Amino acid sequence: METGPQEKRMIHYDLLRILAAFSVVMLHSAGQKWYVLPVTGREWQIADAWDALFRFGVPIFVMISGAIFLNRDSSIRRLYCHNILRLLVTYWIWSGLYGLYDCRNYDLEAAGWKVVAKEMLSGRYHLWFLPMIVAVYMLLPILRSWVKNAERKNLEYFLMLFLILKIGMSTVSALSASYLVEYAAELLDAMEIGMACSYIGYFVYGYYIVRYGIPKKWHRAIYIGVIPCAALNILLDRYLSIRAGEPVGQIYDSYGVFTFVIVTALFLFFTDVMGKVSYSGPAARIIRELSEATLGVYVMHVGLLEILEERGIDTMLLPNIVGIPLMALGCYAACSLLAACLRRIPVLGRYLC
């Protein structure tokens, strides 16, 4: 969600960032009743389908960061003072605010300050993205030096490892619970393969597409592949969840192969097609404003969904095939507006969102 300097920013990545932020709001809106509805029911299957269709957000955020930051020289001092510090402070502020909100009904005298402090440090499940991207940024000087001097085949070797050992293995694990698959997964865990084959894979992948691209002959196949991949995400997770008797969701997570194809198609389309579109001054300003609000949308939307749900306003007020996208659109709009206001608070606004 971090952006580069104003003169270097690319509008097509602003658009892609907006879409990625909306996808995160969409999947969390779909997830409101995901754990409580029976997996054999129509309502759960609709919610799961929306969830499966909008799982591309986090990989897209990481690929945008890789495409921008790995192509740009900056000092370690600036990296820590400008990017890492901001994200850490934002994480601590919102973890604290969510924790205080959770303590609103506590008997504080009986609970004690340690319980309050623990709640404030625990934050919310969706905030995991901020320390994760901070960890990637901490490796940025090393990664930048490597990709700048690496031959293309070295980058492709790294991405092949990512594709096989992370994307491939995650997909196989989701589809099969055999002894051999479990053994392979345990072996990869023992090898600490996640040190290399994690979101850093998506980070480098974004850079690779911008620098080298994907051969034109593959573009149409990738774009067409989005439809069967989306369908397989939906149908396979429905089957796996009914088989397990409970929601599963692993097949379409960030490392699922079908989600990987969708992420590739979106990033390629916005890089190769939308990057060539010219935007008028007013349109560019609106797009940039919405793009600048994406961090705020990310940190705030879960809180807004929870507040509304506590007051009986959730995705089930209407048939959830329309209730989920309407809730997501309303939540996204409200959080974007609030983020635009908070960002304009002197000094503090930068660290709020």
Side-chain angles (χ1 to χ4, degrees):
M1 283 166 272
E2 290 280 286
T3 60
Q6 192 73 6
E7 69 274 7
K8 290 186 178 180
R9 78 184 303 150
M10 292 163 279
I11 300 298
H12 58 289
Y13 287 150
D14 285 326
L15 285 169
L16 187 54
R17 192 178 288 111
I18 293 165
L19 178 61
F22 177 73
S23 81
V24 174
V25 180
M26 188 70 177
L27 70 89
H28 286 146
S29 297
Q32 273 194 322
K33 304 295 182 181
W34 193 74
Y35 288 103
V36 298
L37 293 169
V39 295
T40 54
R42 181 173 180 271
E43 291 83 3
W44 182 87
Q45 291 173 3
I46 290 171
D48 190 57
W50 281 123
D51 197 348
L53 290 173
F54 284 87
R55 279 284 170 160
F56 54 81
V58 168
I60 288 291
F61 278 136
V62 177
M63 288 180 71
I64 294 171
S65 292
I68 293 173
F69 285 100
L70 287 174
N71 271 304
R72 190 177 74 197
D73 291 327
S74 62
S75 66
I76 293 179
R77 178 185 177 86
R78 175 176 173 79
L79 174 67
Y80 273 81
C81 294
H82 183 78
N83 302 108
I84 291 177
L85 177 63
R86 179 197 178 193
L87 290 173
L88 285 176
V89 173
T90 301
Y91 173 75
W92 288 323
I93 287 175
W94 285 99
S95 288
L97 290 174
Y98 277 113
L100 287 174
Y101 182 75
D102 287 342
C103 292
R104 66 193 184 282
N105 296 320
Y106 282 18
D107 180 348
L108 297 181
E109 290 187 7
W113 67 269
K114 289 185 179 180
V115 172
V116 176
K118 183 178 179 181
E119 290 287 353
M120 292 178 69
L121 291 172
S122 298
R124 270 302 180 280
Y125 60 91
H126 70 298
L127 296 179
W128 69 270
F129 176 83
L130 299 182
M132 181 277 290
I133 201 66
V134 163
V136 174
Y137 285 174
M138 289 172 68
L139 295 173
L140 183 57
I142 302 167
L143 293 172
R144 185 187 290 128
S145 177
W146 168 56
V147 300
K148 185 176 181 180
N149 297 290
E151 297 179 21
R152 180 173 180 171
K153 64 181 180 181
N154 296 138
L155 293 175
E156 291 172 348
Y157 171 70
F158 173 80
L159 292 174
M160 181 184 69
L161 290 178
F162 173 63
L163 183 60
I164 294 173
L165 298 179
K166 193 63 179 180
I167 303 295
M169 194 61 212
S170 294
T171 304
V172 172
S173 296
L175 291 172
S176 174
S178 70
Y179 170 75
L180 287 177
V181 172
E182 290 182 2
Y183 173 77
E186 291 175 0
L187 180 61
L188 290 177
D189 286 342
M191 293 168 63
E192 298 286 353
I193 203 69
M195 290 192 295
C197 297
S198 60
Y199 279 103
I200 292 175
Y202 276 118
F203 196 71
V204 175
Y205 190 39
Y207 167 83
Y208 177 88
I209 290 179
V210 171
R211 180 172 177 181
Y212 295 110
I214 293 176
K216 291 286 185 181
K217 64 181 180 180
W218 293 107
H219 287 202
R220 179 174 295 183
I222 292 170
Y223 294 145
I224 294 174
V226 167
I227 295 174
C229 284
L232 284 167
N233 268 345
I234 295 169
L235 296 175
L236 284 172
D237 192 66
R238 181 181 302 178
Y239 165 75
L240 293 169
S241 296
I242 291 174
R243 186 179 71 177
E246 60 183 6
V248 178
Q250 184 182 354
I251 190 64
Y252 55 59
D253 73 3
S254 295
Y255 297 121
V257 68
F258 308 117
T259 299
F260 177 81
V261 173
I262 294 169
V263 167
T264 300
L266 283 171
F267 193 85
L268 186 62
F269 176 77
F270 276 83
T271 300
D272 195 56
V273 178
M274 299 302 290
K276 298 175 182 176
V277 176
S278 297
Y279 302 90
S280 65
R285 285 193 291 273
I286 292 171
I287 293 168
R288 288 174 180 175
E289 183 67 35
L290 289 172
S291 178
E292 291 288 351
T294 54
L295 179 58
V297 169
Y298 188 93
V299 297
M300 288 188 287
H301 75 278
V302 167
L304 180 56
L305 287 173
E306 291 178 358
I307 290 170
L308 292 174
E309 188 174 14
E310 288 173 0
R311 287 155 179 77
I313 303 172
D314 59 36
T315 55
M316 300 297 287
L317 283 177
L318 298 171
N320 67 346
I321 193 168
V322 294
I324 289 170
L326 287 176
M327 176 65 75
L329 283 168
C331 183
Y332 184 90
C335 290
S336 292
L337 182 60
L338 183 55
C341 297
L342 292 177
R343 284 194 303 106
R344 286 166 170 77
I345 299 175
V347 183
L348 182 62
R350 167 175 171 75
Y351 297 100
L352 283 172
C353 50

